[in-house]
Amino acid sequence: LLAAVDGGVKKMAVEVPLPITGGTELDDWPGGIGQKYETLRPMIVETLKSLGFTATQIASRTFMSLEDDAIGIWSRTGDDGQQLNVVCFATPEVLRELQELAGKGTLILVNHQFFLDQFSRAETKEFIASTQIVYLLQSLNMKGPGLLPIKGVMQRVYPQPYVVGRRIEAGVFQVLKTFESKPPQKELLEMFFKDSEVRDKSLSFFDRLKKLGAEATNI
């Protein structure tokens, strides 16, 4: 993040997976967004320190709306009068406030909840489109021929490109392709399917059943 800030990126997004804590058989997050907020807080302490936040600022519990919405915000003002605002789990409901913050300096969105579709407002789409993803770590659940389950990962660390890889074995990934911008889901599905057609063509029927069975136990 510090590289992006130093590089002059004013509006950025960070997407990180959260370790599941307190999940049940029916729901990974029975405590909802509030549980995710409490899980995220200790994860970003070092990041906030590197961005110049004081211990008091890091320990603060400030929200952009109701506390139950868990849209947490950490703010500091630099010597130049410019603000640095870090906001987690932001939603379209606080778009106006986010636009105001972006106008005051640097805005970092952590795991925002802007799930865009055809019904999303143009203003919302434009705001997210103008936000650069500077850090991304995402697990990918893909399919090969015969619905063969494939595990993959996508990562991006500013200013490097997006890297998409396939898990070959536990802890071992092979890079399939790099992208200058975040690839759409359709392109990822096609890429993994074509890779599986070649890589898994000699996979035995028994091994295919094992992979399908392992996938079923993770549902």
Side-chain angles (χ1 to χ4, degrees):
L1 291 187
L2 191 57
V5 172
D6 291 343
V9 181
K10 292 299 184 181
K11 208 162 34 170
M12 62 189 83
V14 174
E15 300 179 21
V16 294
L18 299 179
I20 297 174
T21 57
T24 67
E25 292 183 359
L26 299 177
D27 190 352
D28 288 340
W29 300 97
I33 200 70
Q35 183 182 354
K36 291 184 178 182
Y37 171 81
E38 296 300 338
T39 301
L40 178 68
R41 275 186 65 90
M43 293 175 60
I44 65 172
V45 168
E46 292 303 318
T47 298
L48 293 173
K49 284 182 181 178
S50 71
L51 293 173
F53 285 82
T54 67
T56 300
Q57 291 169 334
I58 294 172
S60 67
R61 296 178 65 90
T62 306
F63 300 91
M64 293 187 67
S65 58
L66 298 176
E67 183 171 347
D68 288 345
D69 293 335
I71 305 176
I73 178 172
W74 293 265
S75 300
R76 74 170 182 82
T77 302
D79 295 336
D80 58 358
Q82 292 289 295
Q83 288 188 10
L84 174 58
N85 292 286
V86 179
V87 180
C88 68
F89 306 117
T91 66
E93 284 69 32
V94 294
L95 178 60
R96 295 295 184 199
E97 291 89 337
L98 293 175
Q99 291 171 325
E100 291 178 6
L101 291 176
K104 296 177 180 179
T106 300
L107 175 64
I108 302 174
L109 302 179
V110 181
N111 287 15
H112 69 72
Q113 306 294 291
F114 283 74
F115 304 118
L116 304 181
D117 56 30
Q118 66 270 32
F119 302 110
S120 300
R121 292 182 302 167
E123 187 179 23
T124 301
K125 293 179 179 179
E126 291 170 2
F127 179 80
I128 292 301
S130 66
T131 302
Q132 183 175 170
I133 298 176
V134 297
Y135 184 86
L136 168 73
L137 181 59
Q138 179 182 350
S139 296
L140 302 173
N141 294 313
M142 301 283 108
K143 298 293 182 183
L147 299 180
L148 183 70
I150 302 170
K151 298 294 185 182
V153 66
M154 177 162 55
Q155 184 178 31
R156 200 265 167 137
V157 179
Y158 177 92
Q160 302 302 318
Y162 291 82
V163 179
V164 177
R166 172 175 169 168
R167 189 177 73 177
I168 305 302
E169 56 185 78
V172 179
F173 290 84
Q174 180 171 335
V175 174
L176 299 182
K177 191 174 181 179
T178 60
F179 300 85
E180 289 304 315
S181 58
K182 186 178 181 181
Q185 181 73 1
K186 182 180 179 181
E187 186 172 354
L188 291 174
L189 290 170
E190 292 175 350
M191 182 179 67
F192 275 90
F193 188 90
K194 290 179 180 179
D195 176 79
S196 180
E197 284 183 317
V198 177
R199 192 188 304 274
D200 302 318
K201 64 181 180 181
S202 60
L203 203 63
S204 69
F205 178 72
F206 178 70
D207 286 335
R208 289 177 182 273
L209 286 180
K210 283 201 303 183
K211 285 180 173 289
L212 288 168
E215 180 76 2
T217 59
N218 290 329
I219 296 178

